[in-house]
Amino acid sequence: MAERGLVHIMAAHSPLSAVLAEEAGFDGLWASGFELSALYGLPDMSLISMTQHLDMLRAIAGRSSLPIVADIDTGYGNAVNVIHAIAEYERAGASAVVIEDKTFPKVTSLAAGGRQELLRIEEFEGKISAAINTRADPDFLVIARTEALIAGLGEEEALKRAKAYARAGADMILIHSKKKDPAEIESFTRAWDGDVPLVLVPNAYPELDATRIKALDKVRMVIYGNYGIRAATTAMQDAFRRIITDGGVQNVHKDIVAVEEIFRLPGMDIVKAQESRFLR
Ligand code: SPV
Ligand code: MG
């Protein structure tokens, strides 16, 4: 962020999606709870475990050199659970975590009519302090996410919470909104006079592009939060439907990557070189 001003972080739900994000030129990866839940065929409602998320994060870290921002939802419980989680995520290879101020179990933020209950500010301050106190590397970022706008509590409450979390030691504040119009986020960003920079996730308001975000001046990280799983779903829906309609793969094969690409992306050349060197 110091070098680039604004960093672009792409959601990854698997090592393969991480490799694709790295090749495309993103600055980092978002180990998204929404995407991993969807990968398991589950809604993003605290149903996948910390172990499942950590296992995938380790697998991603093993195949990509990009920094990983881990989406640890509510921190899997109270401040004591956060202490355990921070140690585990740092060891697993994450460079940052995002913790949100909702109660456990949570409901995904963008769902219409979803139950959105927030923690008391003091309790969440304790969780942020616990995270800061636990990290071994001072460069490991603790990002506090307020869901005040998602819960419909308004800008004043969102600013109050963001300021409290920054005072508790958060390195950055993630402000989320599900309004289709970016006005709510732009207004919060203009009103933000805290010392720490902001993180945006333009999932609900996609027209807020990098040029407009840079003009807001206080944002240093943009997370493309569900674009990996949505792009993959679009591609699979299209291909699978065409195979049924066409009665075979005779047409679709021309429009998808050749199998050689699936040899290349996971680094089959490296394994082949290992075979010729070490198999006796
Ligand atoms: C995620 O990708 O898991 C997020 C972003 O937290 S959102 O689903 O938009 O809340
Ligand atoms: Mg999430």
Side-chain angles (χ1 to χ4, degrees):
M1 283 186 281
E3 276 168 26
R4 297 174 197 192
L6 178 68
V7 292
H8 298 268
I9 308 295
M10 175 48 76
H13 54 257
S14 65
L16 180 61
S17 61
V19 169
L20 295 172
E22 185 160 1
E23 284 196 351
F26 286 95
D27 302 306
L29 302 168
W30 168 238
S32 159
F34 180 89
E35 293 218 357
L36 190 60
S37 301
L39 194 72
Y40 275 97
L42 292 169
D44 182 20
M45 292 170 73
S46 300
L47 296 175
I48 57 164
S49 69
M50 182 169 94
T51 304
Q52 287 172 304
H53 193 247
L54 271 170
D55 280 349
M56 186 56 83
L57 190 138
R58 276 190 209 99
I60 288 172
R63 291 294 295 126
S64 171
S65 59
L66 291 180
I68 303 171
V69 182
D71 175 12
I72 65 167
D73 287 354
T74 61
Y76 304 100
N78 65 19
V80 174
N81 297 83
V82 168
I83 291 170
H84 178 60
I86 295 297
E88 291 287 326
Y89 277 86
E90 198 171 359
R91 249 198 308 273
S95 296
V97 290
V98 171
I99 317 176
E100 63 196 55
D101 60 356
K102 289 210 294 234
T103 54
F104 177 90
K106 60 159 252 186
V107 173
T108 194
S109 303
L110 302 185
R115 175 182 53 79
Q116 302 295 338
E117 292 165 1
L118 267 53
L119 283 190
R120 286 178 298 109
I121 294 183
E122 299 72 31
E123 185 175 354
F124 196 68
E125 285 172 328
K127 289 170 88 164
I128 294 299
S129 304
I132 298 291
N133 203 51
T134 305
R135 66 179 169 198
D137 178 356
D139 285 339
F140 180 89
L141 292 179
V142 174
I143 303 172
R145 162 171 168 175
T146 182
E147 295 278 288
L149 299 178
I150 294 284
L153 300 178
E155 183 173 300
E156 206 179 310
E157 178 70 15
L159 285 165
K160 185 166 122 192
R161 284 178 172 264
K163 281 186 187 156
Y165 305 159
R167 272 198 307 274
D171 298 301
M172 303 180 85
I173 299 293
L174 189 157
I175 179 71
H176 207 18
S177 163
K178 63 177 168 204
K179 293 257 164 74
K180 301 239 176 319
D181 181 343
E184 183 174 59
I185 279 293
E186 289 183 307
S187 170
F188 176 95
T189 306
R190 282 195 207 93
W192 176 245
D193 59 358
D195 293 332
V196 304
L198 299 176
V199 181
L200 299 187
V201 188
N203 284 352
Y205 44 90
E207 70 273 31
L208 195 71
D209 64 4
T211 309
R212 277 175 73 176
I213 291 175
K214 277 191 192 134
L216 291 169
D217 200 32
K218 294 164 195 163
V219 183
R220 294 284 169 274
M221 183 185 291
V222 55
I223 295 175
Y224 302 104
N226 57 28
Y227 282 80
I229 201 79
R230 286 171 60 198
T233 301
T234 306
M236 282 193 267
Q237 277 179 336
D238 177 58
F240 296 175
R241 282 174 187 156
R242 282 176 65 194
I243 293 165
I244 289 289
T245 310
D246 297 349
V249 292
Q250 66 277 21
N251 296 321
V252 94
H253 82 99
K254 298 192 275 301
D255 299 327
I256 60 178
V257 294
V259 71
E260 285 73 19
E261 183 65 347
I262 312 297
F263 298 157
R264 184 189 72 81
L265 286 164
M268 190 162 150
D269 53 341
I270 298 168
V271 180
K272 276 164 81 181
Q274 290 166 348
E275 273 200 349
S276 30
R277 186 161 169 211
F278 296 114
L279 287 194
R280 311 263 156 93

Short mmCIF file of all heavy atoms in Angstrom, two decimals, residues 2-60:
data_model
loop_
_atom_site.label_atom_id
_atom_site.label_comp_id
_atom_site.label_asym_id
_atom_site.label_seq_id
_atom_site.Cartn_x
_atom_site.Cartn_y
_atom_site.Cartn_z
N ALA A 2 2.00 1.16 0.73
CA ALA A 2 2.89 2.32 0.78
C ALA A 2 3.41 2.64 -0.63
O ALA A 2 3.50 3.79 -1.03
CB ALA A 2 4.04 2.05 1.73
N GLU A 3 3.70 1.59 -1.40
CA GLU A 3 4.23 1.80 -2.75
C GLU A 3 3.15 2.20 -3.74
O GLU A 3 3.37 3.00 -4.63
CB GLU A 3 4.80 0.47 -3.29
CG GLU A 3 6.20 0.17 -2.88
CD GLU A 3 6.55 -1.29 -3.21
OE1 GLU A 3 5.94 -1.87 -4.13
OE2 GLU A 3 7.42 -1.82 -2.50
N ARG A 4 1.97 1.57 -3.62
CA ARG A 4 0.98 1.66 -4.69
C ARG A 4 -0.20 2.58 -4.40
O ARG A 4 -1.01 2.84 -5.28
CB ARG A 4 0.44 0.27 -5.02
CG ARG A 4 1.55 -0.61 -5.52
CD ARG A 4 1.17 -2.05 -5.73
NE ARG A 4 2.40 -2.82 -5.81
CZ ARG A 4 2.48 -4.07 -6.21
NH1 ARG A 4 1.40 -4.70 -6.57
NH2 ARG A 4 3.64 -4.68 -6.25
N GLY A 5 -0.33 3.04 -3.19
CA GLY A 5 -1.48 3.89 -2.85
C GLY A 5 -2.72 3.05 -2.61
O GLY A 5 -3.10 2.80 -1.48
N LEU A 6 -3.32 2.56 -3.71
CA LEU A 6 -4.51 1.73 -3.60
C LEU A 6 -4.16 0.32 -4.08
O LEU A 6 -3.63 0.17 -5.19
CB LEU A 6 -5.61 2.31 -4.49
CG LEU A 6 -6.93 1.54 -4.54
CD1 LEU A 6 -7.66 1.60 -3.20
CD2 LEU A 6 -7.83 2.11 -5.64
N VAL A 7 -4.43 -0.69 -3.25
CA VAL A 7 -4.15 -2.07 -3.68
C VAL A 7 -5.46 -2.78 -4.04
O VAL A 7 -6.51 -2.51 -3.46
CB VAL A 7 -3.34 -2.89 -2.65
CG1 VAL A 7 -1.93 -2.36 -2.52
CG2 VAL A 7 -4.04 -2.95 -1.29
N HIS A 8 -5.34 -3.68 -5.03
CA HIS A 8 -6.50 -4.39 -5.58
C HIS A 8 -6.42 -5.86 -5.15
O HIS A 8 -5.49 -6.57 -5.53
CB HIS A 8 -6.50 -4.29 -7.10
CG HIS A 8 -6.62 -2.87 -7.57
ND1 HIS A 8 -7.83 -2.28 -7.85
CD2 HIS A 8 -5.68 -1.92 -7.75
CE1 HIS A 8 -7.62 -1.02 -8.19
NE2 HIS A 8 -6.32 -0.77 -8.14
N ILE A 9 -7.41 -6.28 -4.37
CA ILE A 9 -7.38 -7.61 -3.76
C ILE A 9 -8.53 -8.44 -4.34
O ILE A 9 -9.70 -8.06 -4.22
CB ILE A 9 -7.56 -7.48 -2.21
CG1 ILE A 9 -6.56 -6.47 -1.61
CG2 ILE A 9 -7.45 -8.84 -1.54
CD1 ILE A 9 -5.11 -6.85 -1.71
N MET A 10 -8.20 -9.57 -4.95
CA MET A 10 -9.22 -10.41 -5.59
C MET A 10 -9.60 -11.59 -4.72
O MET A 10 -8.73 -12.24 -4.13
CB MET A 10 -8.68 -10.90 -6.94
CG MET A 10 -9.58 -11.88 -7.67
SD MET A 10 -11.33 -11.40 -7.79
CE MET A 10 -11.27 -10.15 -9.06
N ALA A 11 -10.89 -11.87 -4.65
CA ALA A 11 -11.38 -13.03 -3.90
C ALA A 11 -10.84 -14.31 -4.50
O ALA A 11 -10.81 -14.48 -5.71
CB ALA A 11 -12.91 -13.05 -3.92
N ALA A 12 -10.41 -15.22 -3.61
CA ALA A 12 -9.95 -16.54 -4.04
C ALA A 12 -10.62 -17.58 -3.15
O ALA A 12 -10.69 -17.40 -1.95
CB ALA A 12 -8.43 -16.65 -3.93
N HIS A 13 -11.12 -18.65 -3.77
CA HIS A 13 -11.75 -19.72 -2.98
C HIS A 13 -10.99 -21.03 -3.11
O HIS A 13 -11.43 -22.06 -2.60
CB HIS A 13 -13.22 -19.90 -3.40
CG HIS A 13 -13.38 -20.12 -4.87
ND1 HIS A 13 -13.80 -19.12 -5.72
CD2 HIS A 13 -13.14 -21.20 -5.64
CE1 HIS A 13 -13.82 -19.60 -6.95
NE2 HIS A 13 -13.42 -20.86 -6.93
N SER A 14 -9.87 -20.99 -3.83
CA SER A 14 -9.11 -22.22 -4.08
C SER A 14 -7.72 -21.81 -4.53
O SER A 14 -7.50 -20.68 -4.97
CB SER A 14 -9.77 -23.02 -5.20
OG SER A 14 -9.69 -22.27 -6.41
N PRO A 15 -6.75 -22.74 -4.47
CA PRO A 15 -5.42 -22.42 -4.99
C PRO A 15 -5.47 -22.07 -6.49
O PRO A 15 -4.77 -21.17 -6.93
CB PRO A 15 -4.63 -23.71 -4.75
CG PRO A 15 -5.33 -24.34 -3.59
CD PRO A 15 -6.78 -24.03 -3.76
N LEU A 16 -6.32 -22.76 -7.25
CA LEU A 16 -6.39 -22.45 -8.69
C LEU A 16 -6.89 -21.03 -8.92
O LEU A 16 -6.33 -20.29 -9.74
CB LEU A 16 -7.31 -23.47 -9.41
CG LEU A 16 -7.46 -23.25 -10.92
CD1 LEU A 16 -6.12 -23.36 -11.64
CD2 LEU A 16 -8.46 -24.25 -11.51
N SER A 17 -7.92 -20.61 -8.19
CA SER A 17 -8.41 -19.23 -8.38
C SER A 17 -7.35 -18.23 -7.93
O SER A 17 -7.23 -17.14 -8.50
CB SER A 17 -9.75 -19.00 -7.69
OG SER A 17 -9.66 -19.18 -6.30
N ALA A 18 -6.54 -18.60 -6.94
CA ALA A 18 -5.44 -17.72 -6.50
C ALA A 18 -4.39 -17.57 -7.60
O ALA A 18 -3.90 -16.47 -7.87
CB ALA A 18 -4.81 -18.28 -5.24
N VAL A 19 -4.06 -18.67 -8.26
CA VAL A 19 -3.08 -18.63 -9.35
C VAL A 19 -3.62 -17.73 -10.48
O VAL A 19 -2.89 -16.91 -11.05
CB VAL A 19 -2.79 -20.06 -9.87
CG1 VAL A 19 -1.99 -20.04 -11.17
CG2 VAL A 19 -2.05 -20.88 -8.81
N LEU A 20 -4.91 -17.86 -10.78
CA LEU A 20 -5.51 -17.03 -11.84
C LEU A 20 -5.47 -15.55 -11.46
O LEU A 20 -5.17 -14.69 -12.29
CB LEU A 20 -6.96 -17.47 -12.11
CG LEU A 20 -7.13 -18.89 -12.68
CD1 LEU A 20 -8.60 -19.28 -12.72
CD2 LEU A 20 -6.51 -19.02 -14.07
N ALA A 21 -5.75 -15.24 -10.20
CA ALA A 21 -5.72 -13.84 -9.75
C ALA A 21 -4.30 -13.29 -9.83
O ALA A 21 -4.08 -12.13 -10.24
CB ALA A 21 -6.25 -13.75 -8.31
N GLU A 22 -3.33 -14.09 -9.46
CA GLU A 22 -1.93 -13.64 -9.50
C GLU A 22 -1.52 -13.39 -10.95
O GLU A 22 -0.92 -12.35 -11.27
CB GLU A 22 -1.02 -14.69 -8.84
CG GLU A 22 0.42 -14.23 -8.76
CD GLU A 22 1.24 -14.98 -7.70
OE1 GLU A 22 0.71 -15.89 -7.04
OE2 GLU A 22 2.42 -14.64 -7.56
N GLU A 23 -1.86 -14.30 -11.85
CA GLU A 23 -1.50 -14.11 -13.26
C GLU A 23 -2.18 -12.87 -13.86
O GLU A 23 -1.63 -12.21 -14.72
CB GLU A 23 -1.89 -15.35 -14.09
CG GLU A 23 -0.95 -16.50 -13.88
CD GLU A 23 -1.07 -17.59 -14.94
OE1 GLU A 23 -2.01 -17.56 -15.78
OE2 GLU A 23 -0.22 -18.47 -14.93
N ALA A 24 -3.39 -12.59 -13.39
CA ALA A 24 -4.11 -11.42 -13.92
C ALA A 24 -3.51 -10.11 -13.44
O ALA A 24 -3.74 -9.06 -14.03
CB ALA A 24 -5.58 -11.50 -13.51
N GLY A 25 -2.74 -10.15 -12.34
CA GLY A 25 -2.05 -8.93 -11.90
C GLY A 25 -2.57 -8.30 -10.63
O GLY A 25 -2.26 -7.13 -10.36
N PHE A 26 -3.37 -9.03 -9.84
CA PHE A 26 -3.85 -8.44 -8.58
C PHE A 26 -2.70 -8.33 -7.56
O PHE A 26 -1.70 -9.03 -7.65
CB PHE A 26 -5.01 -9.26 -8.02
CG PHE A 26 -6.27 -9.05 -8.81
CD1 PHE A 26 -6.63 -9.92 -9.83
CD2 PHE A 26 -7.07 -7.94 -8.58
CE1 PHE A 26 -7.76 -9.70 -10.60
CE2 PHE A 26 -8.20 -7.70 -9.34
CZ PHE A 26 -8.55 -8.59 -10.35
N ASP A 27 -2.89 -7.41 -6.60
CA ASP A 27 -1.86 -7.17 -5.59
C ASP A 27 -1.95 -8.17 -4.44
O ASP A 27 -0.99 -8.33 -3.68
CB ASP A 27 -2.01 -5.76 -4.99
CG ASP A 27 -1.92 -4.69 -6.05
OD1 ASP A 27 -0.92 -4.68 -6.79
OD2 ASP A 27 -2.86 -3.87 -6.15
N GLY A 28 -3.11 -8.77 -4.25
CA GLY A 28 -3.29 -9.68 -3.13
C GLY A 28 -4.57 -10.47 -3.28
O GLY A 28 -5.33 -10.29 -4.24
N LEU A 29 -4.80 -11.37 -2.32
CA LEU A 29 -5.94 -12.29 -2.38
C LEU A 29 -6.84 -12.08 -1.16
O LEU A 29 -6.35 -11.80 -0.07
CB LEU A 29 -5.44 -13.74 -2.37
CG LEU A 29 -4.48 -14.11 -3.50
CD1 LEU A 29 -3.85 -15.47 -3.22
CD2 LEU A 29 -5.20 -14.12 -4.84
N TRP A 30 -8.13 -12.27 -1.38
CA TRP A 30 -9.12 -12.20 -0.31
C TRP A 30 -9.63 -13.61 -0.06
O TRP A 30 -10.28 -14.20 -0.94
CB TRP A 30 -10.25 -11.28 -0.77
CG TRP A 30 -11.54 -11.21 0.00
CD1 TRP A 30 -12.79 -11.47 -0.49
CD2 TRP A 30 -11.75 -10.76 1.35
NE1 TRP A 30 -13.75 -11.23 0.47
CE2 TRP A 30 -13.13 -10.80 1.60
CE3 TRP A 30 -10.89 -10.35 2.38
CZ2 TRP A 30 -13.69 -10.44 2.84
CZ3 TRP A 30 -11.44 -9.98 3.60
CH2 TRP A 30 -12.82 -10.02 3.82
N ALA A 31 -9.26 -14.18 1.08
CA ALA A 31 -9.75 -15.52 1.42
C ALA A 31 -11.17 -15.35 1.93
O ALA A 31 -11.44 -15.28 3.13
CB ALA A 31 -8.84 -16.17 2.46
N SER A 32 -12.09 -15.27 0.99
CA SER A 32 -13.47 -14.86 1.22
C SER A 32 -14.31 -15.96 1.87
O SER A 32 -14.32 -17.10 1.40
CB SER A 32 -14.09 -14.51 -0.15
OG SER A 32 -15.49 -14.57 -0.13
N GLY A 33 -15.02 -15.60 2.92
CA GLY A 33 -15.93 -16.55 3.56
C GLY A 33 -17.11 -16.85 2.66
O GLY A 33 -17.59 -17.99 2.60
N PHE A 34 -17.59 -15.84 1.96
CA PHE A 34 -18.72 -16.02 1.05
C PHE A 34 -18.36 -17.03 -0.04
O PHE A 34 -19.13 -17.95 -0.34
CB PHE A 34 -19.07 -14.66 0.43
CG PHE A 34 -20.21 -14.69 -0.53
CD1 PHE A 34 -21.51 -14.52 -0.10
CD2 PHE A 34 -19.98 -14.89 -1.89
CE1 PHE A 34 -22.57 -14.55 -1.00
CE2 PHE A 34 -21.04 -14.93 -2.79
CZ PHE A 34 -22.33 -14.75 -2.35
N GLU A 35 -17.17 -16.86 -0.63
CA GLU A 35 -16.78 -17.74 -1.75
C GLU A 35 -16.54 -19.16 -1.26
O GLU A 35 -16.94 -20.12 -1.91
CB GLU A 35 -15.54 -17.19 -2.45
CG GLU A 35 -15.81 -15.89 -3.18
CD GLU A 35 -15.08 -15.76 -4.51
OE1 GLU A 35 -14.30 -16.65 -4.88
OE2 GLU A 35 -15.31 -14.74 -5.19
N LEU A 36 -15.87 -19.31 -0.12
CA LEU A 36 -15.58 -20.67 0.35
C LEU A 36 -16.87 -21.38 0.77
O LEU A 36 -17.06 -22.56 0.49
CB LEU A 36 -14.55 -20.67 1.49
CG LEU A 36 -14.04 -22.06 1.86
CD1 LEU A 36 -13.34 -22.75 0.69
CD2 LEU A 36 -13.10 -22.01 3.06
N SER A 37 -17.79 -20.63 1.40
CA SER A 37 -19.09 -21.22 1.75
C SER A 37 -19.78 -21.72 0.49
O SER A 37 -20.27 -22.86 0.43
CB SER A 37 -19.99 -20.18 2.44
OG SER A 37 -19.38 -19.69 3.60
N ALA A 38 -19.81 -20.86 -0.54
CA ALA A 38 -20.47 -21.24 -1.80
C ALA A 38 -19.80 -22.46 -2.42
O ALA A 38 -20.47 -23.35 -2.96
CB ALA A 38 -20.45 -20.06 -2.78
N LEU A 39 -18.48 -22.52 -2.31
CA LEU A 39 -17.74 -23.67 -2.86
C LEU A 39 -18.19 -24.97 -2.19
O LEU A 39 -18.26 -26.02 -2.83
CB LEU A 39 -16.24 -23.46 -2.67
CG LEU A 39 -15.35 -24.39 -3.46
CD1 LEU A 39 -15.35 -24.03 -4.93
CD2 LEU A 39 -13.92 -24.34 -2.93
N TYR A 40 -18.50 -24.89 -0.90
CA TYR A 40 -19.00 -26.06 -0.17
C TYR A 40 -20.51 -26.24 -0.37
O TYR A 40 -21.12 -27.09 0.28
CB TYR A 40 -18.70 -25.92 1.32
CG TYR A 40 -17.31 -26.40 1.71
CD1 TYR A 40 -16.27 -25.50 1.86
CD2 TYR A 40 -17.06 -27.75 1.92
CE1 TYR A 40 -14.99 -25.93 2.21
CE2 TYR A 40 -15.80 -28.19 2.26
CZ TYR A 40 -14.77 -27.28 2.41
OH TYR A 40 -13.52 -27.72 2.75
N GLY A 41 -21.12 -25.39 -1.20
CA GLY A 41 -22.56 -25.48 -1.43
C GLY A 41 -23.37 -25.00 -0.24
O GLY A 41 -24.48 -25.47 0.01
N LEU A 42 -22.81 -24.05 0.52
CA LEU A 42 -23.48 -23.56 1.73
C LEU A 42 -23.62 -22.04 1.68
O LEU A 42 -22.77 -21.36 1.10
CB LEU A 42 -22.64 -23.91 2.97
CG LEU A 42 -22.56 -25.41 3.32
CD1 LEU A 42 -21.50 -25.65 4.37
CD2 LEU A 42 -23.93 -25.91 3.80
N PRO A 43 -24.68 -21.50 2.30
CA PRO A 43 -24.78 -20.05 2.41
C PRO A 43 -23.73 -19.52 3.40
O PRO A 43 -23.28 -20.26 4.29
CB PRO A 43 -26.20 -19.82 2.94
CG PRO A 43 -26.57 -21.09 3.61
CD PRO A 43 -25.82 -22.20 2.92
N ASP A 44 -23.38 -18.25 3.24
CA ASP A 44 -22.36 -17.62 4.09
C ASP A 44 -23.01 -17.21 5.42
O ASP A 44 -23.33 -16.05 5.64
CB ASP A 44 -21.81 -16.40 3.32
CG ASP A 44 -20.70 -15.68 4.06
OD1 ASP A 44 -20.09 -16.28 4.96
OD2 ASP A 44 -20.45 -14.50 3.73
N MET A 45 -23.22 -18.21 6.30
CA MET A 45 -23.92 -17.98 7.57
C MET A 45 -23.22 -18.71 8.70
O MET A 45 -23.85 -19.43 9.49
CB MET A 45 -25.39 -18.44 7.44
CG MET A 45 -26.18 -17.56 6.48
SD MET A 45 -27.81 -18.22 6.09
CE MET A 45 -28.67 -17.91 7.62
N SER A 46 -21.89 -18.53 8.77
CA SER A 46 -21.07 -19.16 9.84
C SER A 46 -21.22 -20.68 9.85
O SER A 46 -21.19 -21.31 10.92
CB SER A 46 -21.43 -18.59 11.22
OG SER A 46 -21.21 -17.21 11.28
N LEU A 47 -21.39 -21.28 8.69
CA LEU A 47 -21.57 -22.74 8.64
C LEU A 47 -20.27 -23.48 8.35
O LEU A 47 -20.12 -24.64 8.72
CB LEU A 47 -22.63 -23.10 7.58
CG LEU A 47 -24.02 -22.57 7.91
CD1 LEU A 47 -24.99 -22.85 6.76
CD2 LEU A 47 -24.55 -23.17 9.20
N ILE A 48 -19.32 -22.81 7.68
CA ILE A 48 -18.02 -23.49 7.50
C ILE A 48 -17.16 -23.18 8.73
O ILE A 48 -17.27 -22.12 9.34
CB ILE A 48 -17.30 -23.12 6.18
CG1 ILE A 48 -17.07 -21.62 6.05
CG2 ILE A 48 -18.03 -23.66 4.98
CD1 ILE A 48 -16.05 -21.29 5.00
N SER A 49 -16.32 -24.13 9.07
CA SER A 49 -15.55 -24.01 10.31
C SER A 49 -14.24 -23.25 10.07
O SER A 49 -13.80 -23.09 8.92
CB SER A 49 -15.22 -25.40 10.85
OG SER A 49 -14.30 -26.03 9.97
N MET A 50 -13.62 -22.82 11.17
CA MET A 50 -12.30 -22.18 11.07
C MET A 50 -11.31 -23.16 10.44
O MET A 50 -10.46 -22.77 9.64
CB MET A 50 -11.83 -21.73 12.44
CG MET A 50 -10.50 -21.01 12.40
SD MET A 50 -10.09 -20.22 13.95
CE MET A 50 -9.12 -21.47 14.73
N THR A 51 -11.42 -24.43 10.79
CA THR A 51 -10.48 -25.43 10.24
C THR A 51 -10.62 -25.53 8.72
O THR A 51 -9.62 -25.58 8.01
CB THR A 51 -10.76 -26.81 10.89
OG1 THR A 51 -10.68 -26.64 12.30
CG2 THR A 51 -9.77 -27.85 10.44
N GLN A 52 -11.86 -25.54 8.23
CA GLN A 52 -12.06 -25.61 6.77
C GLN A 52 -11.45 -24.38 6.09
O GLN A 52 -10.79 -24.49 5.06
CB GLN A 52 -13.56 -25.69 6.44
CG GLN A 52 -14.17 -27.04 6.74
CD GLN A 52 -15.68 -27.01 6.57
OE1 GLN A 52 -16.38 -26.19 7.19
NE2 GLN A 52 -16.21 -27.89 5.73
N HIS A 53 -11.68 -23.20 6.69
CA HIS A 53 -11.17 -21.97 6.10
C HIS A 53 -9.64 -21.93 6.15
O HIS A 53 -8.98 -21.58 5.18
CB HIS A 53 -11.79 -20.77 6.82
CG HIS A 53 -11.60 -19.46 6.12
ND1 HIS A 53 -10.82 -18.46 6.64
CD2 HIS A 53 -12.06 -18.99 4.94
CE1 HIS A 53 -10.83 -17.43 5.81
NE2 HIS A 53 -11.57 -17.71 4.77
N LEU A 54 -9.10 -22.35 7.30
CA LEU A 54 -7.63 -22.36 7.46
C LEU A 54 -6.97 -23.34 6.49
O LEU A 54 -5.93 -23.04 5.90
CB LEU A 54 -7.26 -22.77 8.88
CG LEU A 54 -7.14 -21.67 9.92
CD1 LEU A 54 -7.02 -22.29 11.30
CD2 LEU A 54 -5.95 -20.75 9.65
N ASP A 55 -7.59 -24.51 6.32
CA ASP A 55 -7.02 -25.51 5.40
C ASP A 55 -6.94 -24.93 3.99
O ASP A 55 -5.93 -25.10 3.30
CB ASP A 55 -7.89 -26.79 5.38
CG ASP A 55 -7.61 -27.68 6.58
OD1 ASP A 55 -6.63 -27.42 7.30
OD2 ASP A 55 -8.39 -28.62 6.79
N MET A 56 -8.01 -24.24 3.58
CA MET A 56 -7.99 -23.67 2.23
C MET A 56 -6.97 -22.54 2.13
O MET A 56 -6.26 -22.41 1.14
CB MET A 56 -9.40 -23.18 1.85
CG MET A 56 -9.50 -22.71 0.41
SD MET A 56 -9.00 -23.97 -0.78
CE MET A 56 -10.51 -24.92 -0.91
N LEU A 57 -6.89 -21.73 3.19
CA LEU A 57 -5.92 -20.63 3.19
C LEU A 57 -4.49 -21.17 3.06
O LEU A 57 -3.67 -20.65 2.30
CB LEU A 57 -6.09 -19.78 4.44
CG LEU A 57 -5.30 -18.48 4.43
CD1 LEU A 57 -6.14 -17.34 4.99
CD2 LEU A 57 -4.00 -18.57 5.21
N ARG A 58 -4.20 -22.25 3.79
CA ARG A 58 -2.86 -22.86 3.71
C ARG A 58 -2.59 -23.37 2.29
O ARG A 58 -1.51 -23.20 1.75
CB ARG A 58 -2.74 -24.03 4.68
CG ARG A 58 -2.38 -23.61 6.07
CD ARG A 58 -2.02 -24.83 6.94
NE ARG A 58 -2.38 -24.49 8.30
CZ ARG A 58 -3.50 -24.87 8.91
NH1 ARG A 58 -4.36 -25.67 8.31
NH2 ARG A 58 -3.75 -24.48 10.14
N ALA A 59 -3.60 -23.99 1.71
CA ALA A 59 -3.43 -24.51 0.34
C ALA A 59 -3.20 -23.36 -0.65
O ALA A 59 -2.36 -23.45 -1.55
CB ALA A 59 -4.66 -25.32 -0.06
N ILE A 60 -3.91 -22.26 -0.44
CA ILE A 60 -3.74 -21.08 -1.31
C ILE A 60 -2.33 -20.51 -1.11
O ILE A 60 -1.62 -20.21 -2.08
CB ILE A 60 -4.84 -20.02 -0.99
CG1 ILE A 60 -6.20 -20.51 -1.51
CG2 ILE A 60 -4.49 -18.67 -1.59
CD1 ILE A 60 -7.39 -19.64 -1.10
#
